[in-house]
């Protein structure tokens, strides 16, 4: 029963910190750009604020978990999501938006390592990959919730952010009651030391480039679709399709018993490139966009799940640190990707930017030579 409650609590925290506090920004971006006028370059920099905060938080999270146990960083994650979303809700300038996105971005960086540490303390070793995959799929649940709220709730994106903040605050109560507060001395190794860990080096490079590629969709997807002349309702449906398909990430662990994890990784990279390629060659709405963005959403969540499992397995004595190292590089790539895509988009056109970014995951298909011995 304790494992079930931990799974539900972790799933909810990931849904709030990733789906609402982090990725909901992408779908509300066109409306925010209309209300608070700014350029694509500035949109890329604003998106980068969230990813920068994520990088900083994920560096601090393992040390905080080691010293205070998983409960405290997870609790702070809920509070930062709530406060950041409230700031976004009341923002009337780019600076306040940047501050809100930064504070909200801290949430996801604190959540993943804390949950990984809690799972390693509570769940049997053989069941940890499956539990981590299920919890990681909470990202999709948050995205699924965000779209109808943003589309139908009176008051637009400002009222939606207020509601998201309330949900984040409510999440703090089960986090405080369910997550363990005990610390493990094995988790006290500093993150920079593991950057020299041979088993992590190739994985960190893969995570970084994957982050660059994923920023094209998660930071600019709805804006690109809007510029193709699509109605907001269609854009919202495409976004929720991408989010809903990400639930497939929960099936990664069972699927790994049939297909090798490195093959799942390769499929996820191909799926990540597919919607970028289709949008690059689209001049108007096509029904093919629905299956392509679904595969893209499933590919991203599955890829992050694979990195989560590989990171935890590569640093068995400190799973939170291994997860943090790879998720840090994924987010660092998204910082670079958001700013880089905004610049290429403004200087050339969306098609050129999308083709460049779609090439990255296709090249990464060949980056894995062998699996870690446990995965």
């Amino acid at each position: 029963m304790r494992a079930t409650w931990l799974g539900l609590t972790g799933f909810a925290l990931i849904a709030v910190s990733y789906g609402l506090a982090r990725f909901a920004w992408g779908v509300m971006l066109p409306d925010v750009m209309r209300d608070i006028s700014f350029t694509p370059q500035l949109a890329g920099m604003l998106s980068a604020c969230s990813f920068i905060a994520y990088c900083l938080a994920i560096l601090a999270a393992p040390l905080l978990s080691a010293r205070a146990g998983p409960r405290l960083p997870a609790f702070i994650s809920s509070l930062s999501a709530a406060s950041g979303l409230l700031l976004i809700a009341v923002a009337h300038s780019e600076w306040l938006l940047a501050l809100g996105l930064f504070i909200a971005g801290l949430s996801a960086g604190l959540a993943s390592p804390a949950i990984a540490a809690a799972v390693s303390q509570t769940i049997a070793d053989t069941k940890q990959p499956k539990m981590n995959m299920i919890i990681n799929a909470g990202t999709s649940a948050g995205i699924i919730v965000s779209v109808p709220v943003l589309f139908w709730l009176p008051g637009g994106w400002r009222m939606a952010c207020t509601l998201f903040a309330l949900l984040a605050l409510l999440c703090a109560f089960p986090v405080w009651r369910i997550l363990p507060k005990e610390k493990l001395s094995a988790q006290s190794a500093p993150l920079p030391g593991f950057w020299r860990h041979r088993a992590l080096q190739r994985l960190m490079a893969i995570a970084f480039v994957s982050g660059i590629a994923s920023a094209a969709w998660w930071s600019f997807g709805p804006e690109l679709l809007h510029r193709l002349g699509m109605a907001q309702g269609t854009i919202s449906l495409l976004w929720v399709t991408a989010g809903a398909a990400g639930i497939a990430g929960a099936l990664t662990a069972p699927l790994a018993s049939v297909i090798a994890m490195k093959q799942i990784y390769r499929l996820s990279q191909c799926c990540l490139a597919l919607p970028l390629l289709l949008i690059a060659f689209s001049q108007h709405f096509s029904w093919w966009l629905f299956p392509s963005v679904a595969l893209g959403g499933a590919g991203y969540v599955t890829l992050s799940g694979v990195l989560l499992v590989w990171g935890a397995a590569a640093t068995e004595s400190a799973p939170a640190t291994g997860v943090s190292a790879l998720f840090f590089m994924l987010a660092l790539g998204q910082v670079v990707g958001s700013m880089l895509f905004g610049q290429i988009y403004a200087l050339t056109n969306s098609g050129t930017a999308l083709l460049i970014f779609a090439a990255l995951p296709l090249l990464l298909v060949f980056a894995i030579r062998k699996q870690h011995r446990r995965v």
Side-chain angles (χ1 to χ4, degrees), residues 50-76:
S50 175
F51 297 131
I52 290 170
Y54 180 95
C55 290
L56 295 174
I58 211 162
L59 284 173
L63 184 60
L64 189 57
S65 291
R67 292 188 175 180
R71 177 188 295 176
L72 182 60
F75 184 72
I76 296 174

Side-chain angles (χ1 to χ4, degrees), residues 229-291:
M230 295 185 194
Q232 185 59 44
T234 304
I235 294 172
S236 296
L237 282 174
L238 285 165
W239 189 260
V240 79
T241 297
I247 294 291
L251 303 176
T252 305
L255 189 60
S257 63
V258 180
I259 305 174
M261 189 72 85
K262 64 180 179 181
Q263 302 303 338
I264 297 173
Y265 157 83
R266 287 169 176 155
L267 285 171
S268 68
Q269 292 287 10
C270 290
C271 289
L272 202 61
L274 186 59
L276 304 183
L277 288 171
L278 189 57
I279 296 171
F281 291 108
S282 294
Q283 300 297 322
H284 49 75
F285 172 75
S286 167
W287 287 105
W288 285 107
L289 282 168
F290 279 96

